[in-house]
Amino acid sequence: MDLEREKRFLAAHAAGHDRIYRYFRRRTENAATAEDLCAEVFRITWEKTEQDDSLSVMVLFGIAKNVLRNHDRSAVRSASLLGALQHERDRDPGTDGSPVHDALGQLRAEDREVLLLTYWDGFSSAEVSDLLNTSATAVRMRLHRARKALSNLLQTQPEVAAT
């Protein structure tokens, strides 16, 4: 292990940990979340020590700002997904029968998954590719095919075509 790298990291940790923790504590809902985000900052910092000789407190706060932004986006997505799941749970399955729901049910599982992750959960192509462990290009192609298949299915349903 590179001793210089470890020294730089430990110095940055000693100089910035409490300030970074307080930064997160003021902006998050509880201490555990603040500690988790703080740990994420130092994980990323450890990875950057190979590339960057300077690990100032400002570098740590730059990383912290990005970590907080990702946390906030994730929280919004989670709230949206919970709302959608709550809606799905509260929905009476016998009364739905919506053409879109029916058409989604007829799609291939892979196509339905990419559509739901993109349009229901709001993930970008890059994020979907991470979730599905494939390339963003493959996700975009799959999304294109899924939209086309869904469109074809919806056009064959008389209720949707008439509206």
Side-chain angles (χ1 to χ4, degrees), residues 4-114:
E4 269 309 304
R5 178 181 177 213
E6 187 175 334
K7 283 181 183 177
R8 280 194 319 267
F9 176 78
L10 290 174
H13 188 274
H17 180 274
D18 291 346
R19 293 173 71 184
I20 297 294
Y21 174 78
R22 286 191 303 266
Y23 171 81
F24 285 129
R25 187 64 189 107
R26 286 188 301 271
R27 290 165 174 82
T28 59
E29 60 275 3
N30 60 48
T33 301
E35 189 58 44
D36 288 347
L37 295 177
C38 192
E40 179 69 7
V41 167
F42 285 100
R43 184 193 62 77
I44 293 169
T45 302
W46 174 254
E47 291 175 359
K48 286 189 169 264
T49 56
E50 289 181 291
Q51 306 161 355
D52 187 6
D53 291 335
S54 160
L55 288 177
S56 69
V57 172
M58 293 311 295
V59 169
L60 295 176
F61 272 91
I63 295 169
K65 183 178 161 188
N66 290 334
V67 167
L68 184 62
R69 189 178 314 134
N70 288 339
H71 170 74
D72 290 344
R73 276 194 295 245
S74 177
V76 168
R77 284 188 198 119
S78 293
S80 176
L81 179 59
L82 287 175
L85 290 173
Q86 179 71 33
H87 174 74
E88 190 68 24
R89 190 181 75 188
D90 295 343
R91 179 180 64 85
D92 182 4
T95 61
D96 188 356
S98 78
V100 174
H101 190 265
D102 292 344
L104 279 171
Q106 295 176 42
L107 290 175
R108 294 179 335 154
E110 303 86 31
D111 292 345
R112 184 175 43 253
E113 181 72 9
V114 76

Side-chain angles (χ1 to χ4, degrees), residues 128-148:
V128 172
S129 71
D130 287 344
L131 289 170
L132 300 179
N133 198 23
T134 187
S135 71
T137 303
V139 167
R140 285 190 292 273
M141 288 299 294
R142 194 181 299 172
L143 184 60
H144 173 75
R145 285 194 307 260
R147 281 191 304 241
K148 189 173 180 177

